[in-house]
Amino acid sequence: MQQIEGIVTVVQEGRFRLVTPDGRSKLFLLASDADLEPQDLPGLQHAQTPVVVHFTDAEHILAGVAHRLTEAQAMGEPR
């Protein structure tokens, strides 16, 4: 499983956009087996807390499938 760190900037139902510290943007769909529910995503957007998204690539669409989101560790702290 891949992972990427960033801030959730846009949320719509079970979809969200993550912007990485270097400015890249990636679209995600929340997996049905994810540890969050779609209604939890707006809280992440409003908090602007960096998160790590653990995801797989989706076939036939330009989005990742997010299976787990965790709060990112501060710079310099061990993971």
Side-chain angles (χ1 to χ4, degrees), residues 13-60:
E13 298 174 357
R15 299 180 300 267
F16 65 97
R17 182 167 301 280
L18 187 87
V19 176
T20 65
D22 64 1
R24 292 179 293 141
S25 178
K26 184 157 178 71
L27 182 63
F28 290 97
L29 304 172
L30 199 58
S32 60
D33 67 346
D35 57 353
L36 292 176
E37 296 295 326
Q39 61 267 26
D40 298 326
L41 293 173
L44 294 175
Q45 178 186 8
H46 295 299
Q48 295 290 293
T49 301
V51 295
V52 177
V53 179
H54 303 265
F55 70 98
T56 55
D57 287 324
E59 292 185 31
H60 310 294

